[in-house]
Amino acid sequence: AQTVTQSQPEMSVQEAETVTLSCTYDTSENNYYLFWYKQPPSRQMILVIRQEAYKQQNATENRFSVNFQKAAKSFSLKISDSQLGDTAMYFCAFVPFNAGNNRKLIWGLGTSLAVNP
Amino acid sequence: KAGVTQTPRYLIKTRGQQVTLSCSPISGHRSVSWYQQTPGQGLQFLFEYFSETQRNKGNFPGRFSGRQFSNSRSEMNVSTLELGDSALYLCASSMGGGANVLTFGAGSRLTVL
């Protein structure tokens, strides 16, 4: 079975500091996509960053970057210069690449991140 | 550009009733996916519709059904509601190509009493 594990249910960080959220996954697929989504209290799920498994270079989006270790099946998210607006639930998700027809994302249970002033 | 719109935002039903939730995707998006989110189970895939056809289905009982209209709007229906159906139901739309980037709505919070 394909699974995604987020081992940190809750984390906190001081404003302006750096925090890393962990995610591991289990799959026998070779080609897939990995995602980090955030869900603030408003409930709107927002894409933070995406990584294609065939790309060795780690994805970055402004203050957000990932450390993708394919052999270890690890996909951690680093948030630099944390801001109060980063307070949210963060979900790691995975989907096998299947001719572009697969929307069945598999999700971790999330990490609740609190950014403290 | 308008986002994904889900209605209603909140609703309360009693056991045995049925409910219909609506999702209007981003203009031009042809794929609509539905997810159930609960604190214990997290997000679980319900089904996906593309061009009015169900393309993928998750492991939910037949009480959960959906459809998509020619304008890509989608509805999901849950019949004979059970207490365990209380959840946030999220709809997400995408272009339908290989990017697999989903844009989510704010969800419909269903409470079953």
Side-chain angles (χ1 to χ4, degrees), chain A residues 4-65:
Chain A
V4 175
T5 301
Q6 293 180 248
S7 59
Q8 306 148 313
E10 295 181 355
M11 294 189 71
S12 64
V13 64
Q14 292 298 121
E15 200 175 0
E17 293 187 345
T18 296
V19 63
T20 299
L21 309 182
S22 301
C23 172
T24 58
Y25 56 94
D26 187 22
T27 182
S28 58
E29 302 281 343
N30 190 47
N31 293 319
Y32 46 86
Y33 295 98
L34 292 158
F35 306 88
W36 279 98
Y37 279 87
K38 66 180 279 189
Q39 187 177 38
S42 66
R43 304 186 331 206
Q44 190 97 30
M45 192 77 76
I46 302 165
L47 177 68
V48 175
I49 201 164
R50 178 183 65 158
Q51 174 82 42
E52 292 89 345
Y54 62 86
K55 290 186 178 179
Q56 292 185 336
Q57 187 173 5
N58 289 324
T60 62
E61 285 289 343
N62 300 315
R63 298 181 295 106
F64 299 89
S65 62

Coordinates of all heavy atoms in Angstrom, one line a residue, chain A residues 4-65:
Chain A
V4 N 1.8 7.9 3.2 CA 2.5 9.1 3.5 C 2.5 9.3 5.0 O 1.4 9.3 5.6 CB 1.9 10.3 2.8 CG1 2.7 11.6 3.2 CG2 2.0 10.2 1.2
T5 N 3.7 9.5 5.6 CA 3.8 9.7 7.0 C 4.4 11.0 7.4 O 5.5 11.4 6.9 CB 4.7 8.6 7.6 OG1 4.1 7.3 7.3 CG2 4.7 8.7 9.1
Q6 N 3.7 11.7 8.2 CA 4.2 13.0 8.7 C 4.4 12.7 10.2 O 3.4 12.6 11.0 CB 3.3 14.1 8.4 CG 3.2 14.5 7.0 CD 2.3 15.6 6.7 OE1 1.2 15.5 6.1 NE2 2.7 16.8 7.1
S7 N 5.6 12.7 10.7 CA 5.8 12.2 12.1 C 5.7 13.3 13.1 O 5.8 13.0 14.3 CB 7.3 11.6 12.1 OG 8.2 12.6 11.8
Q8 N 5.5 14.5 12.7 CA 5.4 15.6 13.6 C 4.0 16.2 13.6 O 3.6 17.0 12.8 CB 6.4 16.7 13.3 CG 7.8 16.3 13.1 CD 8.6 17.1 12.1 OE1 8.1 17.3 11.0 NE2 9.8 17.5 12.4
P9 N 3.1 15.8 14.6 CA 1.8 16.3 14.6 C 1.7 17.8 14.8 O 0.8 18.5 14.2 CB 1.1 15.6 15.7 CG 2.0 14.4 16.0 CD 3.4 14.8 15.6
E10 N 2.6 18.3 15.6 CA 2.6 19.7 16.0 C 4.0 20.3 16.0 O 4.9 19.6 16.5 CB 1.9 20.0 17.3 CG 0.4 19.7 17.3 CD -0.2 20.0 18.7 OE1 0.5 20.4 19.6 OE2 -1.4 19.8 18.8
M11 N 4.2 21.5 15.5 CA 5.5 22.2 15.7 C 5.2 23.7 15.9 O 4.1 24.2 15.5 CB 6.3 22.0 14.4 CG 6.7 20.6 14.1 SD 7.9 20.5 12.8 CE 9.4 21.2 13.6
S12 N 6.2 24.3 16.5 CA 6.1 25.7 16.6 C 7.5 26.3 16.3 O 8.5 25.7 16.4 CB 5.7 26.1 18.0 OG 6.6 25.7 19.0
V13 N 7.5 27.6 15.9 CA 8.7 28.3 15.5 C 8.5 29.8 15.8 O 7.4 30.3 15.8 CB 9.0 28.0 14.0 CG1 7.9 28.6 13.1 CG2 10.4 28.6 13.7
Q14 N 9.6 30.4 16.1 CA 9.5 31.9 16.3 C 9.6 32.6 15.0 O 10.2 32.1 14.0 CB 10.7 32.3 17.2 CG 10.6 31.8 18.6 CD 9.4 32.3 19.4 OE1 8.6 31.5 19.8 NE2 9.2 33.6 19.4
E15 N 8.9 33.7 14.9 CA 8.9 34.5 13.7 C 10.3 34.8 13.3 O 11.2 35.0 14.1 CB 8.1 35.8 14.0 CG 7.6 36.6 12.9 CD 6.8 37.8 13.3 OE1 6.7 38.0 14.5 OE2 6.3 38.5 12.4
A16 N 10.5 34.7 12.0 CA 11.8 35.0 11.3 C 12.8 33.8 11.4 O 13.9 33.9 10.8 CB 12.5 36.2 11.9
E17 N 12.5 32.8 12.1 CA 13.4 31.6 12.2 C 13.0 30.6 11.1 O 12.0 30.8 10.4 CB 13.3 31.0 13.6 CG 13.9 31.9 14.7 CD 14.0 31.2 16.0 OE1 13.3 30.1 16.2 OE2 14.7 31.7 16.9
T18 N 13.8 29.6 11.0 CA 13.6 28.5 10.0 C 13.1 27.3 10.7 O 13.5 26.9 11.8 CB 15.0 28.2 9.3 OG1 15.4 29.4 8.6 CG2 14.8 27.0 8.4
V19 N 12.2 26.6 10.0 CA 11.6 25.3 10.5 C 11.6 24.3 9.4 O 11.4 24.7 8.2 CB 10.2 25.6 11.1 CG1 9.2 26.1 10.0 CG2 9.7 24.3 11.8
T20 N 11.7 23.1 9.7 CA 11.7 22.0 8.7 C 10.6 21.0 9.2 O 10.6 20.5 10.3 CB 13.0 21.3 8.6 OG1 14.0 22.2 8.2 CG2 13.0 20.1 7.6
L21 N 9.7 20.7 8.2 CA 8.7 19.7 8.4 C 9.0 18.4 7.7 O 9.4 18.4 6.6 CB 7.3 20.2 7.9 CG 6.9 21.6 8.4 CD1 5.5 22.0 7.8 CD2 6.9 21.7 9.9
S22 N 8.8 17.3 8.4 CA 9.2 16.0 7.8 C 8.1 15.3 7.1 O 6.9 15.4 7.5 CB 9.8 15.1 8.9 OG 10.9 15.7 9.6
C23 N 8.5 14.5 6.1 CA 7.5 13.7 5.4 C 8.3 12.5 4.8 O 9.3 12.7 4.1 CB 6.8 14.5 4.3 SG 5.8 13.5 3.2
T24 N 7.7 11.3 5.0 CA 8.2 10.1 4.3 C 7.1 9.4 3.7 O 5.9 9.6 4.1 CB 8.9 9.1 5.3 OG1 8.0 8.8 6.3 CG2 10.1 9.8 6.0
Y25 N 7.4 8.7 2.6 CA 6.3 8.0 1.9 C 6.8 6.6 1.5 O 8.0 6.3 1.5 CB 5.9 8.9 0.6 CG 7.1 9.2 -0.3 CD1 7.4 8.3 -1.4 CD2 7.9 10.2 0.0 CE1 8.5 8.6 -2.2 CE2 9.0 10.5 -0.8 CZ 9.3 9.7 -1.9 OH 10.4 10.0 -2.7
D26 N 5.9 5.8 1.1 CA 6.2 4.5 0.7 C 5.5 4.2 -0.6 O 4.2 4.3 -0.7 CB 5.7 3.5 1.8 CG 6.2 2.1 1.5 OD1 7.1 1.9 0.8 OD2 5.5 1.1 2.0
T27 N 6.2 3.8 -1.6 CA 5.7 3.4 -2.9 C 6.7 2.6 -3.6 O 7.9 2.7 -3.4 CB 5.3 4.7 -3.7 OG1 4.8 4.3 -4.9 CG2 6.6 5.5 -4.0
S28 N 6.1 1.8 -4.5 CA 7.0 1.0 -5.4 C 7.1 1.7 -6.8 O 7.8 1.2 -7.7 CB 6.4 -0.4 -5.6 OG 5.1 -0.4 -6.1
E29 N 6.4 2.8 -7.0 CA 6.4 3.5 -8.2 C 7.7 4.2 -8.4 O 8.4 4.5 -7.4 CB 5.3 4.5 -8.3 CG 3.9 4.0 -8.1 CD 3.4 3.4 -9.4 OE1 3.9 3.6 -10.5 OE2 2.4 2.6 -9.3
N30 N 8.1 4.4 -9.6 CA 9.4 5.1 -9.9 C 9.1 6.6 -10.3 O 10.0 7.5 -10.0 CB 10.2 4.4 -11.0 CG 11.6 5.0 -11.2 OD1 12.3 5.1 -10.2 ND2 12.0 5.3 -12.4
N31 N 8.0 6.8 -10.9 CA 7.7 8.2 -11.3 C 6.4 8.7 -10.6 O 5.4 8.0 -10.6 CB 7.4 8.2 -12.8 CG 8.7 8.0 -13.6 OD1 9.8 8.4 -13.3 ND2 8.6 7.2 -14.7
Y32 N 6.6 9.8 -9.9 CA 5.5 10.3 -9.2 C 5.7 11.8 -8.9 O 6.8 12.4 -9.1 CB 5.3 9.6 -7.9 CG 6.6 9.3 -7.1 CD1 7.1 10.3 -6.2 CD2 7.3 8.1 -7.3 CE1 8.2 10.0 -5.5 CE2 8.5 7.9 -6.6 CZ 8.9 8.8 -5.7 OH 10.1 8.6 -5.0
Y33 N 4.7 12.4 -8.3 CA 4.8 13.8 -7.9 C 4.6 13.9 -6.4 O 3.9 13.1 -5.8 CB 3.6 14.7 -8.5 CG 3.7 14.8 -10.0 CD1 2.9 14.0 -10.8 CD2 4.5 15.8 -10.6 CE1 2.9 14.2 -12.2 CE2 4.5 16.0 -12.0 CZ 3.7 15.2 -12.8 OH 3.7 15.3 -14.1
L34 N 5.3 14.8 -5.8 CA 5.1 15.1 -4.3 C 4.7 16.5 -4.2 O 5.1 17.4 -4.9 CB 6.4 14.8 -3.6 CG 6.9 13.4 -3.6 CD1 8.4 13.3 -3.3 CD2 6.1 12.6 -2.5
F35 N 3.9 16.7 -3.2 CA 3.4 18.1 -2.9 C 3.4 18.4 -1.4 O 3.3 17.5 -0.6 CB 1.9 18.2 -3.3 CG 1.6 17.8 -4.7 CD1 1.3 16.5 -5.0 CD2 1.6 18.7 -5.8 CE1 1.0 16.1 -6.3 CE2 1.3 18.3 -7.1 CZ 1.0 17.0 -7.4
W36 N 3.5 19.7 -1.2 CA 3.2 20.2 0.2 C 2.1 21.2 0.0 O 2.2 22.2 -0.9 CB 4.4 20.9 0.8 CG 5.4 20.0 1.5 CD1 6.5 19.5 1.0 CD2 5.2 19.5 2.8 NE1 7.1 18.7 1.9 CE2 6.4 18.6 3.0 CE3 4.3 19.6 3.8 CZ2 6.6 17.9 4.2 CZ3 4.5 18.9 5.0 CH2 5.6 18.1 5.2
Y37 N 1.0 21.0 0.7 CA -0.1 21.9 0.8 C -0.2 22.5 2.2 O 0.1 21.9 3.2 CB -1.4 21.2 0.4 CG -1.7 21.0 -1.0 CD1 -1.2 19.9 -1.7 CD2 -2.5 21.9 -1.8 CE1 -1.5 19.7 -3.0 CE2 -2.7 21.7 -3.1 CZ -2.2 20.6 -3.7 OH -2.5 20.4 -5.1
K38 N -0.7 23.7 2.3 CA -1.0 24.3 3.6 C -2.5 24.6 3.7 O -3.2 24.9 2.7 CB -0.2 25.6 3.8 CG -0.6 26.8 2.9 CD 0.3 28.0 3.2 CE -0.2 28.8 4.4 NZ 0.5 30.1 4.6
Q39 N -3.0 24.4 4.9 CA -4.4 24.7 5.1 C -4.5 25.6 6.4 O -4.5 25.2 7.5 CB -5.2 23.4 5.4 CG -6.7 23.6 5.5 CD -7.4 22.3 5.6 OE1 -7.0 21.4 6.3 NE2 -8.6 22.1 5.0
P40 N -4.7 26.9 6.1 CA -4.8 27.8 7.3 C -6.2 27.7 7.9 O -7.0 26.9 7.4 CB -4.7 29.2 6.6 CG -5.0 29.0 5.1 CD -4.7 27.6 4.8
P41 N -6.4 28.4 9.0 CA -7.7 28.3 9.7 C -8.9 28.6 8.8 O -10.0 28.1 9.0 CB -7.6 29.3 10.8 CG -6.1 29.3 11.1 CD -5.5 29.2 9.8
S42 N -8.7 29.3 7.7 CA -9.8 29.6 6.8 C -10.2 28.3 6.0 O -11.2 28.4 5.3 CB -9.4 30.7 5.8 OG -8.3 30.2 5.0
R43 N -9.5 27.2 6.1 CA -9.8 25.9 5.5 C -9.4 25.8 4.0 O -9.4 24.7 3.5 CB -11.2 25.6 5.6 CG -11.8 25.5 7.0 CD -13.2 25.0 7.1 NE -14.0 25.2 5.9 CZ -15.4 25.3 6.0 NH1 -16.0 25.3 7.2 NH2 -16.1 25.5 4.9
Q44 N -9.0 26.9 3.4 CA -8.6 26.8 2.0 C -7.3 26.1 1.8 O -6.3 26.6 2.3 CB -8.6 28.2 1.4 CG -8.5 28.2 -0.1 CD -9.8 28.4 -0.8 OE1 -10.7 29.0 -0.2 NE2 -10.0 27.9 -2.0
M45 N -7.3 25.0 1.2 CA -6.1 24.2 0.9 C -5.3 24.9 -0.2 O -5.8 25.1 -1.3 CB -6.4 22.8 0.5 CG -5.3 21.8 0.6 SD -4.8 21.3 2.2 CE -6.1 20.1 2.5
I46 N -4.0 25.2 0.1 CA -3.2 26.0 -0.9 C -2.0 25.2 -1.2 O -1.3 24.8 -0.3 CB -2.9 27.4 -0.3 CG1 -4.2 28.2 0.1 CG2 -2.1 28.2 -1.3 CD1 -3.9 29.4 0.9
L47 N -1.6 25.1 -2.5 CA -0.4 24.5 -2.9 C 0.8 25.3 -2.4 O 0.9 26.5 -2.7 CB -0.4 24.2 -4.4 CG 0.9 23.6 -4.9 CD1 1.1 22.2 -4.4 CD2 0.9 23.7 -6.4
V48 N 1.8 24.7 -1.8 CA 3.0 25.4 -1.4 C 4.1 25.1 -2.4 O 4.8 26.1 -2.8 CB 3.4 25.0 0.1 CG1 4.8 25.6 0.4 CG2 2.4 25.3 1.1
I49 N 4.3 23.9 -2.7 CA 5.4 23.5 -3.5 C 5.2 22.1 -4.1 O 4.5 21.3 -3.5 CB 6.7 23.6 -2.7 CG1 7.9 23.7 -3.6 CG2 6.9 22.4 -1.8 CD1 9.2 24.2 -2.9
R50 N 5.8 21.9 -5.3 CA 5.6 20.6 -6.0 C 6.9 20.1 -6.4 O 7.8 20.9 -6.8 CB 4.7 20.8 -7.2 CG 4.5 19.5 -8.0 CD 3.6 19.8 -9.2 NE 4.2 20.7 -10.1 CZ 3.9 20.7 -11.4 NH1 3.0 20.0 -11.9 NH2 4.5 21.6 -12.2
Q51 N 7.1 18.8 -6.4 CA 8.4 18.2 -6.8 C 8.1 17.0 -7.7 O 7.3 16.1 -7.4 CB 9.2 17.7 -5.6 CG 10.4 16.9 -5.9 CD 11.6 17.8 -6.3 OE1 11.9 18.8 -5.6 NE2 12.4 17.4 -7.2
E52 N 8.7 16.9 -8.9 CA 8.6 15.7 -9.7 C 9.7 14.8 -9.4 O 10.9 15.2 -9.2 CB 8.7 16.1 -11.2 CG 7.5 16.9 -11.7 CD 7.7 18.4 -11.6 OE1 8.6 18.9 -10.8 OE2 6.9 19.1 -12.2
A53 N 9.4 13.5 -9.2 CA 10.4 12.5 -8.7 C 11.5 12.4 -9.7 O 12.6 12.0 -9.2 CB 9.7 11.2 -8.5
Y54 N 11.3 12.6 -11.0 CA 12.4 12.4 -11.9 C 13.4 13.5 -11.9 O 14.5 13.5 -12.5 CB 11.9 12.2 -13.3 CG 11.1 13.3 -13.9 CD1 11.7 14.4 -14.5 CD2 9.7 13.4 -13.7 CE1 11.0 15.4 -15.1 CE2 9.0 14.4 -14.3 CZ 9.6 15.5 -14.9 OH 8.9 16.5 -15.4
K55 N 13.1 14.6 -11.2 CA 14.0 15.8 -11.1 C 14.9 15.7 -9.9 O 14.3 15.5 -8.8 CB 13.2 17.1 -11.1 CG 12.6 17.4 -12.4 CD 11.9 18.8 -12.3 CE 11.3 19.2 -13.7 NZ 10.6 20.5 -13.7
Q56 N 16.2 15.7 -10.1 CA 17.0 15.6 -8.9 C 17.1 16.9 -8.1 O 17.4 16.9 -6.9 CB 18.4 15.2 -9.4 CG 18.5 13.7 -9.9 CD 19.9 13.3 -10.2 OE1 20.8 14.1 -10.5 NE2 20.1 12.0 -10.2
Q57 N 16.9 18.0 -8.9 CA 17.1 19.3 -8.2 C 15.9 19.6 -7.3 O 14.7 19.3 -7.7 CB 17.1 20.4 -9.2 CG 17.4 21.8 -8.7 CD 17.6 22.8 -9.8 OE1 17.5 22.5 -10.9 NE2 18.0 24.0 -9.3
N58 N 16.2 20.0 -6.1 CA 15.1 20.3 -5.1 C 14.3 21.5 -5.5 O 14.9 22.6 -5.9 CB 15.7 20.5 -3.7 CG 16.2 19.2 -3.1 OD1 15.6 18.1 -3.3 ND2 17.3 19.3 -2.4
A59 N 13.0 21.5 -5.4 CA 12.1 22.6 -5.7 C 12.2 23.7 -4.7 O 12.4 23.4 -3.5 CB 10.7 22.1 -5.9
T60 N 12.1 24.9 -5.1 CA 12.1 26.1 -4.2 C 11.0 27.0 -4.7 O 10.7 27.1 -5.9 CB 13.4 26.8 -4.2 OG1 13.7 27.3 -5.5 CG2 14.6 25.9 -3.8
E61 N 10.4 27.7 -3.7 CA 9.4 28.7 -4.0 C 9.5 29.8 -2.9 O 9.0 29.7 -1.8 CB 7.9 28.1 -4.0 CG 7.5 27.3 -5.1 CD 7.3 28.1 -6.4 OE1 7.1 29.3 -6.3 OE2 7.2 27.5 -7.5
N62 N 10.3 30.8 -3.3 CA 10.5 31.9 -2.4 C 11.1 31.4 -1.1 O 12.2 30.8 -1.0 CB 9.2 32.7 -2.2 CG 8.7 33.3 -3.4 OD1 9.5 33.8 -4.2 ND2 7.4 33.1 -3.7
R63 N 10.4 31.5 0.1 CA 10.9 31.1 1.4 C 10.8 29.6 1.6 O 11.2 29.1 2.6 CB 10.2 31.9 2.5 CG 10.4 33.4 2.4 CD 9.7 34.1 3.6 NE 8.2 33.9 3.5 CZ 7.5 33.1 4.3 NH1 8.1 32.4 5.2 NH2 6.2 33.1 4.1
F64 N 10.1 28.9 0.7 CA 9.9 27.5 0.9 C 10.8 26.6 0.0 O 10.9 26.9 -1.2 CB 8.4 27.2 0.5 CG 7.4 27.9 1.4 CD1 6.9 29.2 1.0 CD2 6.9 27.3 2.5 CE1 6.0 29.9 1.8 CE2 6.0 28.0 3.3 CZ 5.6 29.3 3.0
S65 N 11.4 25.6 0.5 CA 12.2 24.7 -0.2 C 12.0 23.3 0.3 O 11.6 23.1 1.4 CB 13.7 25.2 -0.2 OG 14.2 25.1 1.1

